[in-house]
Amino acid sequence: MSVLEKTRPATAPPAATRARRVTDEHGRRVRVGELALRYLLLLAVLALTVGPFLWQLSTSLKGPTEDIYSSPPSFLPADPTLDNYTRVADTVPVWDYALNSLKVATANVVTNCAGSALAGYALARLRYRGRRAATLAFVLAMLVPVEAIIIAQFTTMRELGLNNTLVGVVLPGCIGAMNVLLMRNAFLNLPYEIEEAAFVDGANVWQRFLRIALPSVKGTLAVVAIFAFMGAWDDFLWPLIVLSDPSRFTLTIGLNYLHGTFANDERLVAAGTVIAVAPLIVLFACLQRYFFRGVGEGAVKG
Amino acid sequence: MTAPTAPSRIRRQLPSSPWLFAAPGLLVAGAFVLWPFLSTLADSFTDRRTLIPGRFVGLANFREMLDDDMFWIGLRNSALYVLGVVPALVVLPLLLALLVQKNIPGITFFRSAFYTPVVASIVVVGLIWVWLLDERGLVNSLLETVGVGRVGFLSDQWLLLLSAMTVTVWKGLGYYMIIYLAALSGVPRELHEAAAVDGAGAVRRFLTVTVPAVRSTMVLVGALSSVAAFKVFSEVYLMAGPSGGPAGEDTTLVMLVQRTGTGLTGRVGYASALSVVVFVVTVALMLLVLRADRKEERV
């Protein structure tokens, strides 16, 4: 719906002649001149933010005979073809890389959701000696920048014999301290009374956690899941350090490899990047509400 | 040791179960964050290499840094990155947030679209821009069409750094826009109306009403973006290549850490010392921004 609406003011007659008037969030009318200027600016920013992706898509669809360096540039492929997508798969095993990324991202979602929900519940709802120390440990872990410990993580991984494995890619971030603290805050906001009632009814701590507390924090859990997936799918520095064998590469490392080895054919690199970014854009389009909620919540807590 | 807020009945439970709940998280945080942090500190005083255990060498690594041209190049570039990127990321997303704040038809589409670069992997974003800024790429062919001629965005040391900064800003815009959007929704409309009644124009209202109202958010954005900018790795690595551009002049500090500490001949000790510098500067930047905030409040 919104896609249809966005083009209307540019071409439509003045809003007064339309049945529907454009109003702001307070129900006040927005002047036509201001509205036109707004849409003009919005479209300009749209071109700047989304344009580069479309240019990449267009490049990936251009055939081998088409000049991709022409000046002035041609924005639409003259003879669109999917050849580059099959050719990129012949050059590097891009679908294997995508599968590796999917494995890593899925594992990261499962471990982060389970681990941070459990730990968050322990920090928020259970009483025991050392609870404050445990909370402090997670706060400290959140404050340490990954970039400053990456070599030591690499050494630790090697000592565990997990270098160059997907398990090694997943492990360091598999339960993010930030996620634990997010879950803790979510559990803290739940009223105690329901759990107390369940306790009186004889529910043990696991039952209270699984049946009562967890279903009430689904929103935060979704935020954790989305960011865990995105973080793992997009990560570059850590997989770059830990993976050395091209057959184990994730998509981001594979793309960098593709770019380094076959920089002379932009069509292939473009096809590779489209393969890498398309699933995320689809995921994002479906779940954008949670994205924005997540960023907003993060900002309030930051 | 127990917090006073919890009802007493919930307190009764098996003594072991809280630790079962927290154990996986604590194990990961301990083994892969806190332990590596401590061992980074310890290793920074040794000459440890990838396959050779280190000996204690005191401050030798830090002394070596002072004479290491690459260290100064890395520090310079990371610092320049902060100076170049942070002002843009504090101001531009605020303007963008004002643009998408009003609920006009189709605005959710624009908000999501502006957020797309945030979602895309930095590798994808880097490669897209390498292609855009290529000697024969889109930007240059547009420049040539309008008669400016081609510019070596990726071959000149300074233009390369500037291009990488542009990419960082481009990718960060949407993220900080949402943070500002949340802050703007808390600004009372009456303030704007009162200022408008007093005859203040849009620019004046922005400076006298909006900016003071979102000032603490600006500080937060400044802190977040400066810490992130100082640790920049991927953008420059992708655009300049693993060796950091012409003669390594575009190497950043984290790129140097990665290059020094990995591989079979990796100098883990020296890389750890460099990591300590990254950590110290990061913390210092945080404190600096937060302190500047407090000082301003006192005035």
Side-chain angles (χ1 to χ4, degrees):
Chain A
M1 179 188 79
S2 56
V3 180
L4 289 177
E5 277 174 347
K6 92 183 153 67
T7 52
R8 188 199 291 160
T11 53
T17 65
R18 288 270 171 152
R20 181 159 164 229
R21 292 192 316 180
V22 176
T23 52
D24 66 11
E25 66 274 26
H26 298 277
R28 268 166 261 233
R29 214 178 131 191
V30 182
R31 274 178 292 121
V32 178
E34 191 204 318
L35 203 60
L37 184 67
R38 266 178 190 273
Y39 279 108
L40 211 64
L41 285 171
L42 285 169
L43 289 173
V45 179
L46 183 70
L48 277 177
T49 48
V50 178
F53 291 103
L54 295 178
W55 179 241
Q56 192 79 351
L57 180 66
S58 159
T59 306
S60 76
L61 296 175
K62 285 177 180 171
T65 53
E66 191 172 348
D67 180 14
I68 56 170
Y69 302 108
S70 67
S71 171
S74 65
F75 289 94
L76 291 176
D79 188 14
T81 168
L82 291 174
D83 260 11
N84 297 317
Y85 289 85
T86 43
R87 278 206 304 139
V88 70
D90 295 338
T91 320
V92 298
V94 68
W95 300 113
D96 292 347
Y97 295 166
L99 188 64
N100 285 343
S101 278
L102 190 66
K103 283 182 199 163
V104 167
T106 310
N108 209 42
V109 170
V110 172
T111 52
N112 264 297
C113 284
S116 59
L118 284 169
Y121 188 75
L123 296 185
R125 284 306 170 103
L126 305 177
R127 308 291 149 204
Y128 51 99
R129 245 166 213 288
R131 188 174 66 116
R132 274 213 213 141
T135 312
L136 187 67
F138 286 114
V139 171
L140 289 178
M142 188 185 68
L143 292 177
V144 174
V146 169
E147 289 84 351
I149 56 168
I150 204 114
I151 298 300
Q153 284 184 333
F154 175 61
T155 324
T156 309
M157 248 353 125
R158 212 188 43 238
E159 278 157 8
L160 292 173
L162 291 171
N163 260 359
N164 204 18
T165 66
L166 292 182
V167 176
V169 177
V170 175
L171 265 183
C174 71
I175 304 176
M178 170 81 181
N179 293 335
V180 171
L181 295 171
L182 263 176
M183 293 309 299
R184 170 183 175 267
N185 285 358
F187 284 123
L188 274 180
N189 288 334
L190 298 179
Y192 264 106
E193 287 71 25
I194 312 169
E195 262 190 80
E196 227 178 313
F199 180 77
V200 171
D201 289 346
N204 69 29
V205 63
W206 293 96
Q207 289 166 328
R208 295 202 306 270
F209 168 70
L210 282 173
R211 305 225 181 113
I212 296 163
L214 206 53
S216 314
V217 295
K218 266 189 262 168
T220 311
L221 210 56
V223 170
V224 168
I226 292 166
F227 281 91
F229 189 92
M230 203 173 89
W233 186 270
D234 285 352
D235 194 16
F236 179 55
L237 177 57
W238 174 242
L240 180 73
I241 285 178
V242 92
L243 297 175
S244 49
D245 177 0
S247 70
R248 306 258 173 86
F249 280 175
T250 57
L251 204 42
T252 53
I253 309 306
L255 279 182
N256 178 52
Y257 178 65
L258 174 74
H259 163 65
T261 324
F262 306 96
N264 49 0
D265 199 345
E266 269 307 325
R267 297 174 186 85
L268 293 191
V269 179
T273 54
V274 171
I275 292 172
V277 79
L280 270 188
I281 290 187
V282 171
L283 187 75
F284 166 59
C286 300
L287 304 172
Q288 34 148 322
R289 279 185 304 140
Y290 295 108
F291 267 89
F292 293 148
R293 194 187 300 162
V295 180
E297 278 176 13
V300 173
K301 267 151 209 147
Chain B
M1 280 298 122
T2 49
T5 49
S8 55
R9 273 172 298 176
I10 296 278
R11 225 181 275 158
R12 282 187 280 120
Q13 68 212 341
L14 285 175
S16 63
S17 48
W19 290 105
L20 285 179
F21 274 77
L26 283 174
L27 207 66
V28 171
F32 299 112
V33 181
L34 298 175
W35 169 249
F37 180 66
L38 294 177
S39 71
T40 300
L41 289 181
D43 284 345
S44 71
F45 299 108
T46 71
D47 60 358
R48 182 171 182 184
R49 284 170 181 266
T50 302
L51 297 173
I52 306 164
R55 288 174 299 121
F56 180 77
V57 294
L59 291 172
N61 286 324
F62 295 94
R63 245 177 272 134
E64 185 185 338
M65 254 182 240
L66 300 178
D67 295 323
D68 180 358
D69 288 342
M70 224 49 218
F71 166 71
W72 291 109
I73 289 174
L75 189 63
R76 177 197 71 196
N77 288 336
S78 291
L80 279 177
Y81 223 84
V82 174
L83 292 177
V85 162
V86 172
L89 279 180
V90 170
V91 176
L92 294 178
L94 175 57
L95 299 178
L96 211 53
L98 288 171
L99 183 65
V100 300
Q101 190 194 9
K102 208 162 263 188
N103 276 324
I104 53 181
I107 200 66
T108 42
F109 164 78
F110 283 105
R111 279 181 202 156
S112 312
F114 296 173
Y115 197 76
T116 321
V118 183
V119 178
S121 157
I122 187 63
V123 177
V124 168
V125 165
L127 294 184
I128 286 180
W129 279 88
V130 165
W131 171 224
L132 283 173
L133 296 174
D134 186 272
E135 201 84 41
R136 302 171 293 172
L138 177 65
V139 173
N140 267 321
S141 81
L142 287 174
L143 286 179
E144 194 171 54
T145 310
V146 299
V148 178
R150 292 175 186 257
V151 181
F153 292 107
L154 301 179
S155 47
D156 175 82
Q157 172 200 340
W158 299 112
L159 280 179
L160 188 78
L161 203 61
L162 197 66
S163 304
M165 289 179 190
T166 309
V167 174
T168 304
V169 172
W170 181 80
K171 192 178 187 322
L173 277 178
Y175 180 76
Y176 297 113
M177 172 188 85
I178 300 297
I179 295 184
Y180 276 125
L181 212 49
L184 283 176
S185 66
V187 181
R189 195 187 162 87
E190 291 70 35
L191 285 178
H192 274 281
E193 279 168 357
V197 169
D198 290 346
V203 175
R204 238 204 120 86
R205 265 179 306 171
F206 172 70
L207 291 175
T208 57
V209 179
T210 310
V211 169
V214 298
R215 218 186 51 92
S216 64
T217 308
M218 293 174 86
V219 172
L220 172 72
V221 170
L224 291 175
S225 62
S226 56
V227 167
F230 188 76
K231 297 182 301 188
V232 63
F233 171 81
S234 307
E235 291 91 319
V236 184
Y237 181 94
L238 290 160
M239 297 175 82
S243 55
E249 280 284 347
D250 288 306
T251 302
T252 70
L253 213 47
V254 174
M255 282 172 77
L256 193 59
V257 169
Q258 182 260 348
R259 209 155 68 207
T260 313
T262 55
L264 285 178
T265 55
R267 299 183 58 201
V268 174
Y270 192 56
S272 299
L274 291 167
S275 304
V276 170
V277 174
V278 172
F279 177 74
V280 169
V281 177
T282 310
V283 172
L285 271 175
M286 270 296 221
L287 294 178
L288 207 72
V289 180
L290 295 176
R291 217 181 124 197
D293 179 42
R294 227 177 302 139
K295 219 178 244 167
E296 240 175 84
E297 249 161 39
R298 251 183 268 131
V299 172

